[in-house]
Amino acid sequence: MELDEFWSFVEGIQPELELFGNGILKYVEDNLRSSNRLGILKIPAQKPRLKDKKSALGKVVRKNYGNPTVQMTDLVGIRFVALLHEDVDAISEIIKGGPWEYSLDREYEKEKLASPTTFTYQSNHFIITSRRNEFSKKIGIQEGLRCEVQVRTLLQHAYSELTHDTIYKPGDVLPPPQAHRLVARSAALIESTDDLFMQTVEQLRDCEATALTWFDGLCKLYCEVIGPDSNGFDPSVNIEFQVAFKDIAPVQNLELIKDFWLGASGKAFADMVRRRISDRYLFTQPMVLAIYVALPRVQHQFTRLWPYESLSTELDLIFSDLGLTRQ
């Protein structure tokens, strides 16, 4: 096929390619939005990129395509950039379940297993092909159009931006061997950093889960022994307190706190808490239950660890209720 003939073909289908790309973009974003995960896109997905004439014809020449109308699969492209590998996996699963045919032109995890000692370009590349169905009819495209979709992490994207036009498509000047060595080192560093990000997130999630379990338990206990939440329980304030006192066992021990407030000794203190709800913020929050229980046991540590200067006067009231002197 002559180059002019090929470009005439491309120009004829470009409006449909753009519609196809926009349809894929909307499908992925709608699915992320419905699961409240649109925020995993750390760079907003740009509108589909149509391959320009210079790039398209140059690729035909370089690749020696016999039939570029079929073999060139990236006449339109979309890129999704997330922070973590698990986010890349989530986006990839949405693509795999879409109303089209797909193939994986590049899959990072498989390439890593196939060449464990090689550190290079990292990304998932999908080739998506339209088929005759309601999706194609709705957006007004024909069967057989193709779109390349790249899904990568933020660090992988940075690597790609650096190397795409300088290492893999260097033009007239060939990069020196030292440059190839440096980008291989950076690829290895990116893989390690991505893994460290995932480990960090997993630890933060474990910590958050523990804090939320503690908070939920105190909320239920507060409603049971003090009364319903009429002022608004604030998770951030309560969990900040829980984190500040993470090493103080009586604060963390829900069973100990429950035994106190559900026992006879807790009734008098419950009346004290209720009397102050109308004008004392601390007494409207579930963490107050942990304070009454923990203070007598770790009195000397409370002032040092207490994170809320604006609530110091209210903390003094609890010291007084317990017959203690603040140190």
Side-chain angles (χ1 to χ4, degrees):
M1 175 179 283
E2 297 293 331
L3 293 180
D4 287 346
E5 183 184 357
F6 168 67
W7 185 247
S8 294
F9 163 80
V10 173
E11 286 185 314
I13 65 169
Q14 274 188 336
E16 286 186 79
L17 289 172
E18 188 168 13
L19 288 171
F20 188 29
N22 280 321
I24 296 169
L25 177 61
K26 185 176 185 303
Y27 179 88
V28 172
E29 289 186 333
D30 285 351
N31 275 269
L32 289 173
R33 189 179 291 108
S34 67
S35 59
N36 199 31
R37 297 198 68 188
L38 189 59
I40 69 175
L41 296 178
K42 295 307 175 184
I43 296 178
Q46 303 295 312
K47 66 179 183 179
R49 168 194 49 79
L50 293 169
K51 209 168 191 67
D52 61 33
K53 183 176 183 179
K54 178 182 177 181
S55 178
L57 298 185
K59 189 169 185 178
V60 172
V61 172
R62 292 196 313 274
K63 298 288 187 179
N64 290 317
Y65 288 139
N67 185 359
T69 63
V70 174
Q71 293 171 283
M72 190 174 295
T73 58
D74 62 344
L75 289 171
V76 61
I78 309 169
R79 180 182 298 130
F80 295 103
V81 180
L83 180 61
L84 303 172
H85 280 304
E86 66 176 26
D87 301 328
V88 169
D89 292 341
I91 296 168
S92 296
E93 287 305 309
I94 291 172
I95 292 170
K96 291 176 182 178
W100 43 64
E101 296 176 4
Y102 77 89
S103 62
L104 269 164
D105 187 45
R106 298 195 66 158
E107 186 173 8
Y108 167 57
E109 291 299 330
K110 285 187 177 180
E111 290 182 3
K112 191 168 65 172
L113 291 174
S115 303
T117 61
T118 300
F119 297 94
T120 184
Y121 177 83
Q122 304 163 1
S123 188
N124 284 356
H125 283 201
F126 289 87
I127 304 301
I128 295 180
T129 305
S130 63
R131 59 189 184 199
R132 186 178 293 108
N133 58 15
E134 289 302 314
F135 175 79
S136 295
K137 292 177 183 176
K138 182 178 178 181
I139 63 177
I141 62 170
Q142 61 182 293
E143 182 181 16
L145 295 179
R146 293 184 177 182
C147 176
E148 181 186 75
V149 179
Q150 300 172 354
V151 190
R152 56 176 64 140
T153 68
L154 196 58
L155 290 175
Q156 290 170 351
H157 178 63
Y159 174 92
S160 177
E161 288 294 291
L162 172 67
T163 61
H164 184 264
D165 293 326
T166 57
I167 300 296
Y168 298 112
K169 294 182 180 179
D172 297 331
V173 180
L174 293 176
Q178 297 93 328
H180 284 281
R181 177 68 176 173
L182 288 171
V183 297
R185 287 171 58 191
S186 69
L189 181 61
I190 285 169
E191 183 176 318
S192 297
T193 305
D194 275 339
D195 289 341
L196 290 172
F197 279 179
M198 280 301 305
Q199 293 178 42
T200 301
V201 168
E202 288 169 4
Q203 290 191 14
L204 290 172
R205 284 174 180 162
D206 289 343
C207 181
E208 182 181 26
T210 299
L212 288 174
T213 298
W214 176 90
F215 175 64
D216 289 342
L218 281 189
C219 287
K220 292 173 183 176
L221 182 62
Y222 186 99
C223 291
E224 183 176 352
V225 300
I226 306 299
D229 171 21
S230 57
N231 295 278
F233 296 155
D234 187 334
S236 60
V237 170
N238 286 269
I239 289 175
E240 184 178 354
F241 166 79
Q242 189 264 353
V243 171
F245 285 81
K246 67 182 184 302
D247 297 322
I248 307 302
V251 169
Q252 309 299 326
N253 192 331
L254 281 176
E255 291 305 314
L256 179 68
I257 297 169
K258 288 178 182 178
D259 288 344
F260 175 83
W261 287 100
L262 295 177
S265 57
K267 292 180 180 178
F269 291 110
D271 289 336
M272 294 177 182
V273 172
R274 279 190 287 269
R275 285 199 299 269
R276 293 171 178 148
I277 285 175
S278 62
D279 60 353
R280 299 286 185 176
Y281 176 81
L282 178 57
F283 295 87
T284 69
Q285 298 303 310
M287 66 184 185
V288 74
L289 303 182
I291 295 171
Y292 271 98
V293 175
L295 244 181
R297 294 169 169 82
V298 289
Q299 176 186 353
H300 61 288
Q301 298 185 58
F302 243 81
T303 298
R304 177 175 60 85
L305 296 174
W306 184 246
Y308 305 114
E309 185 63 32
S310 62
L311 298 178
S312 291
T313 301
E314 298 181 20
L315 182 62
D316 287 338
L317 291 174
I318 300 178
F319 269 95
S320 178
D321 291 344
L322 294 167
L324 301 173
T325 301
R326 188 171 181 184
Q327 299 177 354

